Amino acid sequence: MENKKKGRPLVTVFIKYRELGLLIILAVLIGIVGLRNSLFIKPSNLLFIVEDTSIMAILAAGMLCVLLVGSIDISISAIMALSAMVTGVIMRSFLTSTETVVIVDGVEKLVTLRESLPLALLVIIGVATGAAIGLVNGFLIAYGKVLPIVTTLGMQYIVYGLSHIVSNSTAVYRKDMSDAFFQFSRSSFLGINSKIWIMLGVYVLLFLFITYLRKGRWLYAVGSNAEAAQMRGIPVQRTIVMAHVVMGALAGLAGLLYASHDTKVTQDMASGYEMYVIAACVIGGVAVTGGAGKLQGVLLGALTIGVINNGLTMLRLTGNSEFWKKAIQGALILIAVISNVVLQRIMTRQSLARRNI
Amino acid sequence: MPKRGRGIGFFLHWEWLLIVMIAAVYLFFGAQMPQNYTFVKLLNQTRVYMVDVGFMALGALLILIMGDIDISVAATAALSCTVMVVVYSEGNGAPFALALVCALATGAACGAFNGLLVTRFKELFPMIITLSTQTLYRGTAYIILKDQSSGNFPDWFNSGLGYGSVTILGLQVPYMLLCILSVFPIFYIWIHRTGSGRRLLSVGANITAARYSGIRTDRIKVTMFTLNGLLAAVAGIFLTARIGSVKYTIGTGYEMQAIAIAVLGGASTAGGKGSVVGVLLALILMTCLKNGLMLLFNDAFILNLAIGLLLIGIVLGPNLVRAVQNIRTLQRQRRQATTSITGGA
């Protein structure tokens, strides 16, 4: 007994804060790339990585809600495309462009000012579109009892088709975007890009929701044991729908940011993005079976993927690293996921061993 | 299940539902385009819509029966074709048979790697593992082939296997169609009529119970993933025969189509369920539908939209009917209970 009082071994810290293992993996990754290319660990570059990862992090936060209730959503990239497309088409139809002469450094320049609906309204349209698709997903899964993967796989096809119909098979380009929308992902506050601020806002709100509000705790309850939750009086089906609506709304927001950042919206925008998001969640320690996972872990998972993506370019492995990038990306994600599992196994074994003593 | 409501119950039988759907789709498009949408032309189009996806769908069936999922099949097929093309055209005189064997071996190796990872790291959902191996396999194909497409195959492979057909009863039946149709009876007998198929189903239904009853679940899983990889390689070979060249993007998105067909055929992603006949019928349904939609709209997005609606609709429909039935039974039981109570008192 005295031993215990003296001090806690390092292992217990790891057991309490499971995200630490991930933090180590992240630090090792950054260290390896930093050794090879010192430009990588400059603060400005690290900030750039966060900025680059913010869209994925927003999506991963939504995916956490969906995974927590034991569901999954692979239609998010389609939702991103649809909400960006709906917003883009509406923006294009209300667009008025005026040409004015601006004097920059004593030189006259012809500048086109593009104005459309106010940015706030556009964002509301995009988020509402995403939330509507999320609502359909949730209803099909919770009330229609269609398996989540099947539902969202089908919805992926349907929603991409819808974005094709909405846009009448045209793309939205920079010339169709209002200046405010163009600046949406570019403006900065206190030297930090707006995408990071939006991501932080989403994370703080969602953290408060998941941790302190009753409805947020329901997510965990439904995911870990739906039957017990039902007995306890928790509206299981409504909670599942709610999780999907949150996911859809965040996917809509992410779609707008992606479109503004990319300065174009095509019908197959962001295809394949959902895989990175799910990988980020799994690296972050979210159980795909539901009921377990933390927002902190998800953020770290998304950053790990971001570091892998950006670090590979910085590594300059071969003359033409573009060919190597894809394969190494897959391998690294696999290694990150597996090493997280191995670390957790070691921790569990240690904690069990301690309890025996 | 109650015996009442038999009229609806008949259509709840999955295979019948699929047959009715096939008939409906065939008659609908046949009425729309009597010139272009004929059985003979449909038979010719089966090589585009039925063969390569069909092999992958059989693999997806095996994996779905076990309650797992494999998203890396299309990437496996791409890597196998890449190996085949490299061995044949850059190996300086390597016989084509050797290239084929190498392709099959690559597919099996990719599948076995998936299977080993899935069984060694049970905490991870198979979806995540195959997600990352997908990038890995396609990336490897990208490294090997770079950005170019390659292909210079023997005549019997391209024009023979790819576009040749044999006349049976006055109908031009593609060789490829015969190949895939000959595989289905084997799978049917294996999965539904032998002990090994039954063990496979039991692994999906309840893996703990299967393990306690002496089934080597891990070994079965690895074997099935290997077989799935092998089927993916076969699909890739047929795909190459049809297209005539290999690029690293070959077969992108086929994994989702394969899963969709297996689910349409009655497999559940929860495992323990699946029927070979269902997959065959779903494959025929998809062929009829895709060909018709392509002729009518000539737009891949509309095609995908229809497939998505079909996928959700065909799973949702029986669920809703069953839910209504359950509510009705409950109401009836409640009514009986109240009448018996009031009658007794």
Side-chain angles (χ1 to χ4, degrees):
Chain A
M1 287 302 281
E2 276 183 359
N3 254 346
K4 263 188 186 172
K5 278 180 187 170
K6 256 185 186 173
R8 287 139 46 100
L10 194 63
V11 180
T12 51
V13 182
F14 274 90
I15 291 161
K16 201 165 179 199
Y17 305 100
R18 294 211 151 196
E19 282 72 35
L20 264 182
L22 190 57
L23 210 56
I24 292 172
I25 295 173
L26 192 59
V28 168
L29 268 176
I30 293 177
I32 290 173
V33 185
L35 276 179
R36 170 101 186 161
N37 188 344
S38 58
L39 282 177
F40 185 75
I41 42 177
K42 270 174 67 178
S44 62
N45 188 54
L46 291 179
L47 197 64
F48 171 76
I49 291 176
V50 177
E51 185 194 322
D52 206 40
T53 322
S54 50
I55 294 178
M56 192 192 295
I58 291 172
L59 288 167
M63 189 61 86
L64 170 72
C65 298
V66 175
L67 290 177
L68 276 183
V69 296
S71 180
I72 198 167
D73 192 342
I74 51 176
S75 65
I76 51 170
S77 49
I79 297 178
M80 284 166 78
L82 180 68
S83 56
M85 196 54 101
V86 168
T87 316
V89 168
I90 290 174
M91 183 163 53
R92 184 167 56 189
S93 58
F94 282 97
L95 194 75
T96 51
S97 54
T98 48
E99 294 196 340
T100 49
V101 178
V102 180
I103 299 171
V104 183
D105 299 332
V107 183
E108 285 190 3
K109 264 188 165 178
L110 198 64
V111 176
T112 318
L113 290 177
R114 297 185 181 82
E115 280 186 13
S116 185
L117 296 176
L119 181 63
L121 190 61
L122 290 176
V123 172
I124 289 172
I125 291 171
V127 171
T129 312
I133 301 291
L135 191 69
V136 175
N137 273 337
F139 260 97
L140 284 171
I141 291 166
Y143 294 98
K145 304 267 180 258
V146 185
L147 285 165
I149 290 185
V150 178
T151 310
T152 51
L153 173 64
M155 282 305 276
Q156 187 186 17
Y157 286 140
I158 294 173
V159 173
Y160 267 132
L162 281 181
S163 77
H164 184 67
I165 292 172
V166 164
S167 65
N168 206 4
S169 64
T170 57
V172 174
Y173 297 107
R174 166 75 182 101
K175 63 177 166 51
D176 309 318
M177 290 180 181
S178 69
D179 290 329
F181 188 78
F182 182 73
Q183 288 299 331
F184 184 37
S185 65
R186 283 179 180 74
S187 55
S188 58
F189 177 66
L190 296 177
I192 294 173
N193 185 277
S194 61
K195 276 182 288 183
I196 300 181
W197 286 113
I198 292 172
M199 179 193 81
L200 286 177
V202 166
Y203 269 78
V204 168
L205 282 180
L206 212 57
F207 181 78
L208 294 176
F209 175 66
I210 282 182
T211 324
Y212 295 112
L213 286 186
R214 192 187 300 159
K215 286 194 172 166
R217 302 308 297 174
W218 284 354
L219 294 174
Y220 285 92
V222 168
S224 46
N225 191 338
E227 228 164 278
Q230 183 104 54
M231 298 289 180
R232 187 75 178 74
I234 294 172
V236 173
Q237 288 164 327
R238 251 193 291 154
T239 310
I240 293 175
V241 173
M242 180 184 73
H244 275 277
V245 170
V246 170
M247 172 81 257
L250 288 179
L253 179 66
L256 294 188
L257 284 172
Y258 192 99
S260 167
H261 179 79
D262 234 25
T263 61
K264 69 168 187 284
V265 188
T266 51
Q267 284 110 32
D268 57 348
M269 188 185 96
S271 69
Y273 217 65
E274 69 272 8
M275 299 306 177
Y276 287 119
V277 174
I278 295 170
C281 282
V282 173
I283 292 176
V286 182
V288 187
T289 44
K294 279 184 182 170
L295 210 53
Q296 303 92 299
V298 167
L299 183 59
L300 285 177
L303 285 176
T304 310
I305 301 247
V307 166
I308 289 174
N309 281 349
N310 286 279
L312 278 175
T313 326
M314 301 292 273
L315 270 179
R316 291 180 294 198
L317 276 177
T318 55
N320 201 345
S321 66
E322 201 43 46
F323 293 121
W324 289 88
K325 204 174 157 183
K326 276 192 102 169
I328 295 176
Q329 220 172 28
L332 277 182
I333 290 174
L334 201 60
I335 290 169
V337 169
I338 286 176
S339 51
N340 200 19
V341 166
V342 171
L343 272 177
Q344 295 214 347
R345 270 186 199 175
I346 294 170
M347 288 176 203
T348 318
R349 207 177 301 142
Q350 294 276 6
S351 72
L352 282 178
R354 271 181 59 78
R355 235 174 280 168
N356 284 345
I357 295 169
Chain B
M1 283 297 282
K3 279 266 163 81
R4 309 246 320 235
R6 211 181 161 131
I8 309 167
F10 172 74
F11 287 106
L12 281 183
H13 222 283
W14 207 280
E15 279 84 359
W16 285 113
L17 191 68
L18 284 172
I19 289 176
V20 171
M21 293 282 290
I22 292 171
V25 167
Y26 184 73
L27 290 175
F28 173 75
F29 285 114
Q32 292 275 320
M33 299 164 288
Q35 296 298 314
N36 285 327
Y37 197 79
T38 59
F39 186 68
V40 178
K41 288 192 177 172
L42 205 57
L43 208 56
N44 191 36
Q45 285 294 313
T46 51
R47 63 178 108 229
V48 181
Y49 297 114
M50 213 165 151
V51 180
D52 26 45
V53 172
F55 279 108
M56 283 189 196
L58 275 177
L61 175 71
L62 296 180
I63 302 298
L64 286 178
I65 282 179
M66 297 190 302
D68 295 338
I69 200 160
D70 187 352
I71 325 188
S72 70
V73 275
T76 306
L79 185 57
S80 312
C81 307
T82 306
V83 168
M84 176 174 75
V85 103
V86 167
V87 168
Y88 180 64
S89 26
E90 288 172 21
N92 294 330
F96 191 60
L98 180 68
L100 285 179
V101 171
C102 285
L104 293 178
T106 312
C110 289
F113 184 59
N114 279 339
L116 283 175
L117 286 176
V118 166
T119 49
R120 288 290 170 278
F121 299 99
K122 292 203 175 68
E123 297 98 323
L124 291 173
F125 204 51
M127 187 173 181
I128 307 302
I129 291 172
T130 53
L131 206 69
S132 17
T133 52
Q134 177 199 30
T135 325
L136 185 66
Y137 297 158
R138 212 177 270 284
T140 314
Y142 192 37
I143 292 173
I144 296 173
L145 269 187
K146 301 282 187 284
D147 220 356
Q148 53 201 279
S149 59
S150 172
N152 185 20
F153 299 108
D155 272 350
W156 69 266
F157 186 64
N158 263 346
S159 46
L161 185 65
Y163 285 93
S165 49
V166 60
T167 311
I168 300 174
L169 300 172
L171 289 168
Q172 295 275 313
V173 183
Y175 285 123
M176 289 172 123
L177 184 62
L178 291 180
C179 292
I180 183 139
L181 286 184
S182 64
V183 173
F184 272 98
I186 301 170
F187 266 77
Y188 178 77
I189 292 168
W190 170 46
I191 290 181
H192 298 294
R193 290 281 178 271
T194 65
S196 122
R198 208 148 278 286
R199 278 196 289 278
L200 174 64
L201 283 161
S202 74
V203 167
N206 189 338
I207 190 159
T208 320
R211 196 166 48 243
Y212 281 133
S213 55
I215 296 172
R216 276 176 285 207
T217 52
D218 279 4
R219 183 186 283 191
I220 288 185
K221 276 205 172 183
V222 175
T223 317
M224 287 311 127
F225 269 97
T226 313
L227 192 56
N228 182 35
L230 199 65
L231 283 167
V234 173
I237 290 169
F238 278 105
L239 193 60
T240 317
R242 174 161 69 82
I243 296 175
S245 71
V246 178
K247 206 184 169 205
Y248 82 98
T249 51
I250 192 168
T252 311
Y254 272 46
E255 67 274 9
M256 290 304 173
Q257 286 189 38
I259 293 170
I261 288 173
V263 170
L264 271 183
S268 155
T269 44
K273 250 173 70 183
S275 123
V276 178
V277 181
V279 169
L280 179 61
L281 290 172
L283 200 56
I284 295 172
L285 174 61
M286 282 293 224
T287 310
C288 293
L289 188 71
K290 278 183 184 171
N291 194 18
L293 284 172
M294 246 4 212
L295 284 172
L296 213 54
F297 294 106
N298 197 18
D299 187 336
F301 278 97
I302 303 286
L303 184 73
N304 284 341
L305 184 86
I307 291 172
L309 283 175
L310 180 72
L311 184 64
I312 291 179
I314 207 164
V315 181
L316 184 66
N319 277 2
L320 287 183
V321 174
R322 216 167 287 139
V324 170
Q325 273 185 343
N326 281 348
I327 290 170
R328 277 209 192 137
T329 342
L330 211 65
Q331 280 175 345
R332 195 166 54 243
Q333 282 168 350
R334 225 173 257 164
R335 220 177 303 130
Q336 280 168 358
T338 45
T339 48
S340 70
I341 289 168
T342 48

